[in-house]
Amino acid sequence: MIGLIDCNNFYASCERIFRPDLEGRPIVVLSNNDGCVIARSLEAKALGIPMGSPLFKCREIIEKHNVKVFSANFALYGDISNRIMNITNEMVQKLEIYSIDEAFIEVPLKDETELVEFGAKLIKRIKQCTGVTVSIGFAPSKSLAKMGNKIAKKTMKFPQVCVLSDEDNRDQALKNTAIEDVWGIGRQYSKKLRGLGVDNAFDFTRLGDSFVTKHLSVVGLRLKRDLLGEDIIITADLPKRKNISDTRTFDYDYSSYDEVRERVVSFAAQIGRKLRQQSSNCSSLIVFVMSNRFKSNRYFNSSCIQLAEPTNSNIALAEAAEKALKTIFREGFTYKKAGVLACDISDANALQTSLFSDNTAERDANLMQAIDIINSKYGRHSIVLASQDKQSEWKMNQNYLSPRYTTVIDDIITAKL
DNA sequence: TCTGGGGTCCTAGGACCC
DNA sequence: TCTGGGGTCCTAGGACCC
């Protein structure tokens, strides 16, 4: 059987690990720049704070109900996630990490009672080791495991394990799942399906194959068959990224070229780091800039630049990014967001050099390796290019940031006796 | 005042090849 | 009136996920 394990209110739960005083109190976590609500504790959901809402739109509820607000602390969430995945990996046959707070697992069990027992054991262990509560859905296919997980979460009964093994309880679950709650059916498709009289997952599985293909393409057909218990949805097991991007909304509207250039060069350097992490090169870069989309006098432009040869060197990428930026930056506009995207990603071990190569590749490779080692030892921005901005993390509104309890020695928790 | 970031896959249509 | 047949590659756009 396949299981989907999913952390409950993950970011909010992470914030609570070292703040037991926040138990029972509503919590929200904000996106970069403290812009939108991207995670909510159960209590915050109950208050009706919507997912994705800009902070200023729910200020009133937050103040009225004493909601605790946090800036996103990805260093903390990433570390807790790693711990949970490692613990899980020790207890299952196969682990496939699907996102920061979700993983598919495979277990050699079929019997419902045994599965519930095993799930309870896993949940208890994760809770004991990390303080995070997870729920698990078991089923013969991934989309059904997802569905089981949702059902487990809803029951509010601990441990939150749901097994969809036989046809009867599978069909019951399909009938009880609204079409928009099905994994793979988003806003557009559910609107379309509702219009066609399909209200729940069960109705969807009754549609004809050619009808489904016509309206939802082969993706929809695969989903239909998966929901009927054939395990055919393939999720990639941490493959190399085919696209890599680094983009940010700025803390205020930038007007000078130098301000934007500094940030864009830093994005290019981050791209280099991410490429090296998966030993890839890229052979073209896209740079884009945009003004504040909520204000008038709007401007958006992007430029794609071909690199002389595939590379992952910060130096080459920064040069290219700056060149591209020059072609799209216009005086007279202000800029609220920019980004760099790496395209045409290839294997760094199979480098095709240019006929006119100036042989800086090897020099750069050694240099980048040294930079990566130093930065991983002493912190992200210990060594940067002179053209990068110096403290990019400060150039973000993070007014409610919690300590990086588990990854930075200065942030470690203090115990008083 | 204030509005996130990072991915995937599929399809249709155009340009091109022989 | 009637206008071949079989491919590939690339891109933009649209759907989805967390």
Side-chain angles (χ1 to χ4, degrees):
Chain A
M1 291 283 265
I2 294 172
L4 176 73
I5 145 166
D6 186 313
C7 303
N8 298 359
N9 322 306
F10 184 55
Y11 294 170
S13 304
C14 288
E15 295 295 350
R16 206 122 67 178
I17 296 172
F18 294 93
R19 292 291 307 273
D21 59 305
L22 297 176
E23 205 61 50
R25 187 170 158 194
I27 294 177
V28 296
V29 178
L30 305 177
S31 62
N32 278 343
N33 264 323
D34 293 343
C36 300
V37 172
I38 55 166
R40 303 155 298 160
S41 72
L42 231 42
E43 300 80 7
K45 285 177 192 172
L47 288 173
I49 299 173
M51 180 71 169
S53 162
L55 176 61
F56 70 91
K57 284 191 182 168
C58 42
R59 272 267 187 239
E60 212 171 300
I61 308 183
I62 285 173
E63 273 159 26
K64 190 172 162 201
H65 294 94
N66 195 24
V67 176
K68 178 72 184 169
V69 177
F70 285 102
S71 302
N73 183 348
F74 291 113
L76 175 65
Y77 313 149
D79 185 59
I80 300 300
S81 171
N82 279 336
R83 292 170 191 230
I84 292 173
M85 297 306 173
N86 286 336
I87 293 160
T88 308
N89 199 25
E90 281 168 15
M91 290 181 63
V92 301
Q93 252 185 355
K94 196 178 156 202
L95 172 80
E96 202 177 277
I97 298 169
Y98 180 67
S99 75
I100 192 163
D101 75 329
E102 275 175 86
F104 288 103
I105 56 176
E106 263 177 53
V107 291
L109 301 169
K110 270 230 150 71
D111 177 69
E112 186 169 340
T113 324
E114 282 178 2
L115 282 163
V116 173
E117 217 169 272
F118 172 80
K121 217 166 86 187
L122 182 54
I123 290 170
K124 195 176 157 204
R125 176 124 179 92
I126 291 172
K127 176 80 180 170
Q128 185 190 358
C129 296
T130 67
V132 173
T133 306
V134 305
S135 33
I136 309 180
F138 285 110
S141 71
K142 292 202 179 71
S143 60
L144 286 171
K146 269 268 196 188
M147 191 172 286
N149 185 283
K150 274 203 175 173
I151 294 168
K153 276 212 168 88
K154 257 188 226 157
T155 60
M156 301 298 290
K157 209 174 65 194
F158 288 87
Q160 292 178 319
V161 182
C162 169
V163 182
L164 300 178
S165 47
D166 61 71
E167 213 164 299
D168 281 349
N169 60 28
R170 183 196 74 196
D171 283 356
Q172 198 52 51
L174 288 169
K175 282 177 187 162
N176 289 336
T177 302
I179 192 67
E180 37 281 298
D181 291 338
V182 177
W183 183 43
I185 303 290
R187 268 230 311 279
Q188 303 302 320
Y189 282 156
S190 49
K191 207 168 121 192
K192 193 173 196 171
L193 287 166
R194 285 271 182 187
L196 293 162
V198 176
D199 294 324
N200 58 48
F202 184 79
D203 296 345
F204 177 66
T205 60
R206 299 296 118 172
L207 296 173
D209 282 1
S210 55
F211 184 87
V212 172
T213 311
K214 189 179 148 203
H215 288 97
L216 291 87
S217 86
V218 298
V219 183
L221 183 61
R222 282 202 285 259
L223 174 60
K224 177 195 149 178
R225 290 171 51 192
D226 203 82
L227 283 171
L228 288 170
E230 278 182 75
D231 179 33
I232 54 172
I233 292 182
I234 297 167
T235 51
D237 207 356
L238 285 183
K240 290 193 178 183
R241 300 267 165 252
K242 295 175 180 173
N243 294 293
I244 289 178
S245 59
D246 203 62
T247 70
R248 284 293 176 280
T249 300
F250 303 145
D251 43 351
Y252 60 94
D253 291 0
Y254 290 4
S255 49
S256 88
Y257 173 77
D258 279 341
E259 276 179 309
V260 180
R261 196 215 71 221
E262 252 186 15
R263 300 301 304 269
V264 164
V265 167
S266 286
F267 300 154
Q270 286 309 312
I271 297 273
R273 187 183 58 82
K274 291 178 190 175
L275 283 167
R276 293 192 293 278
Q277 222 171 38
Q278 60 167 39
S279 52
S280 293
N281 283 330
C282 77
S283 43
S284 60
L285 275 190
I286 293 174
V287 175
F288 75 84
V289 290
M290 64 190 281
S291 59
N292 192 325
R293 65 195 170 103
F294 297 100
K295 290 184 184 167
S296 55
N297 197 23
R298 273 179 235 167
Y299 177 67
F300 174 91
N301 208 344
S302 69
S303 167
C304 179
I305 192 160
Q306 301 297 318
L307 299 156
E309 56 188 58
T311 182
N312 59 26
S313 155
N314 288 12
I315 298 168
L317 294 167
E319 267 174 18
E322 194 172 339
K323 207 163 126 192
L325 176 64
K326 274 192 186 130
T327 67
I328 52 173
F329 186 90
R330 302 263 183 288
E331 291 291 344
F333 290 103
T334 57
Y335 298 87
K336 182 64 174 166
K337 182 172 180 172
V340 177
L341 292 75
C343 311
D344 301 328
I345 289 174
S346 55
D347 190 344
N349 301 315
L351 175 62
Q352 174 72 56
T353 52
S354 150
L355 182 59
F356 308 106
S357 169
D358 52 6
N359 292 318
T360 52
E362 197 184 331
R363 179 204 70 188
D364 280 17
N366 291 333
L367 183 57
M368 292 306 128
Q369 199 187 0
I371 289 179
D372 288 341
I373 292 170
I374 292 168
N375 281 341
S376 80
K377 193 164 174 187
Y378 297 102
R380 263 264 189 103
H381 303 284
S382 301
I383 291 203
V384 297
L385 300 177
S387 52
Q388 275 179 253
D389 53 322
K390 307 300 178 286
Q391 301 288 355
S392 65
E393 275 174 27
W394 294 359
K395 296 187 176 173
M396 205 174 359
N397 294 318
Q398 289 186 305
N399 294 320
Y400 315 98
L401 191 61
S402 53
R404 289 158 294 180
Y405 301 102
T406 61
T407 54
V408 174
I409 194 74
D410 292 336
D411 284 3
I412 205 162
I413 198 164
T414 312
K416 293 190 179 115
L417 294 175

